[in-house]
Amino acid sequence: MHDHARTTLRTHFDIVESPDCDIRAHLSEAVRASIRGVACRTGIDRRFIDALPRLEIIASYGVGYDDVDVAYARSRNIVVTNTPDVLNEEVADLTLGLLISVVREIPQAASFVRAGRWSATDYPLSPLTLRNRKVGIYGMGRIGRCIARRVEAFGLPVAYHSRRPADGVAYDHYPSLLDLARAVDVLISIVPGDLSTAKSVNAAVLAALGPQGVFINVGRGTVVDEAALVEALRTGTIAAAGLDVLADEPNVPDEMLALDNLTILPHIGSASVSTRTAMADLVAQNLVAWFENGAALTAVP
Ligand code: NAP
Ligand code: 8YV
């Protein structure tokens, strides 16, 4: 847990800590029986919940809650909270940074300077450009909208796919992800990781993006068929990709590391001091609100 959340929570509650989710191994039965709230940034499964007979609330550190068994928590009348909105702009900033890095080879160019190669020759012109591209956004929720605003400011048209048209946005909505991929040459994924999105960015979607295509994923790694992505990058089915998230973090498949046209970041979308502090605040505020007023601030739907 973030130190700021830990410090804030200590001023309101008695705290016990577990280094991982195997709480039966770390906490005695008597301690577990006293626990009424959990603050976490780890997977919370049925076994974890069953180990805490008096649990009322799980406050998860992050907006995505794919690693919390929400259905089981609900069946036990346990509230689950997340940290929406406070990270929207930060994650959108990182998304555009990653897109430009991939297209204009910023990490490679910086490495070129550090390697002392500039004095010998100019860095090669980037084969790709952002100019004249069409950007498709997969997910037009809180963060998707912030990404779209930035893309517009770069002078590029935006279209999107979500199951339902998003309220209050004028961008073209595609009811099918495949049709969206056919219509654009940049695809940015910012959907949650769940059964409905699992491996939905597959070989067909990547082929539809085309040989100039660029794929950016800041949502969840599980949304992508990673084997298909590696193959698409290796064979030139698409031009390049940038990933802030992987299916099995922090493990990076060797085949991915071998690709020059793939930029991988270590899940840093929200990872600035200020934004992570705001997320930590919201974790703590949810627990305080629940125990003081009986109503959490940001319970998941
Ligand atoms: P949100 O407001 O709930 O938006 C989710 C969007 O995805 C909605 O437009 C939703 O529309 C769409 N969607 C969901 N399931 C879909 C499906 N099966 N097919 C098509 N569209 C679908 O969520 P958010 O706050 O923007 O966050 C999105 C996700 O970003 C989080 O869940 C998290 O996994 C990820 N994230 C990553 C980082 C990072 O550090 N890389 C940071 C923050 C968040 P419909 O329901 O109409 O389909
Ligand atoms: C965090 C995220 O990295 O909010 C999310 O869903 O993926 C990120 O903001 C993570 O949740 C904290 O470990």
Side-chain angles (χ1 to χ4, degrees), residues 234-245:
R234 210 180 49 74
T235 56
T237 301
I238 65 169
L243 308 176
D244 186 44
V245 285

Side-chain angles (χ1 to χ4, degrees), residues 41 60-66 83 87 91 143 218-220 245 267-271 276 279:
R41 65 172 300 185
S60 184
Y61 174 71
V63 66
Y65 47 88
D66 42 295
T83 60
L87 41 55
V91 178
I143 303 172
V218 278
R220 282 292 181 265
V245 285
H267 200 145
I268 55 168
S270 65
R276 286 289 176 86
M279 291 162 61

Side-chain angles (χ1 to χ4, degrees), residues 6 21 81 88 136 189 198 230 268 293:
R6 183 182 285 111
C21 55
T81 66
N88 293 350
S189 179
V230 167
I268 55 168
N293 312 319

Side-chain angles (χ1 to χ4, degrees), residues 138-140 160-166 173-177 191-192 194-197:
Y138 178 23
M140 190 51 72
Y160 71 101
H161 165 64
S162 53
R163 289 166 296 188
R164 291 163 291 274
H173 174 251
Y174 284 75
S176 144
L177 177 60
V191 284
D194 62 20
L195 279 179
S196 76
T197 56

Side-chain angles (χ1 to χ4, degrees), residues 226-227 229-231 233-234 243 246-248 250-264:
E226 290 185 339
L229 176 63
V230 167
E231 190 59 10
L233 288 166
R234 210 180 49 74
L243 308 176
L246 295 176
D248 183 28
N251 302 309
V252 186
D254 287 343
E255 315 85 72
M256 285 193 173
L257 291 174
L259 291 166
D260 290 335
N261 53 353
L262 174 61
T263 300
I264 304 173

